[in-house]
Amino acid sequence: MQYVVVQVVLKEELLGTGSGNLTSVERVLNEHAAKGYRLHTITTTSSGSKGLGGGDRIQATMVFESLS
């Protein structure tokens, strides 16, 4: 089996809720599916931001498994 590990950082906006860049996760999933991989595992960690941009950061780590 062959595996690929990818990390994507999502930043939640200061105003409102929800991440504005979930399309980043979708893009990575679709790119690897087109290459013959499937998502095996996903984990997330989060941390707060104290700077002027505000918002939390969520790091998603995805492990893809080759289907061939």
Side-chain angles (χ1 to χ4, degrees):
M1 285 288 186
Q2 185 177 5
Y3 296 90
V4 175
V5 179
V6 179
Q7 291 183 331
V8 176
V9 177
L10 306 172
K11 185 170 191 275
E12 188 170 313
E13 301 298 326
L14 178 61
L15 299 174
T17 60
S19 176
N21 58 355
L22 283 177
T23 55
S24 299
V25 173
E26 183 178 21
R27 179 183 45 80
V28 169
L29 289 168
N30 287 327
E31 284 176 2
H32 285 79
K35 294 177 184 176
Y37 289 87
R38 70 175 174 187
L39 183 64
H40 179 277
T41 306
I42 185 168
T43 61
T44 59
T45 58
S46 62
S47 64
S49 175
K50 298 178 182 172
L52 272 178
D56 291 334
R57 293 184 188 275
I58 300 169
Q59 178 177 316
T61 302
M62 296 173 272
V63 178
F64 292 91
E65 177 181 44
S66 175
L67 294 175
S68 54

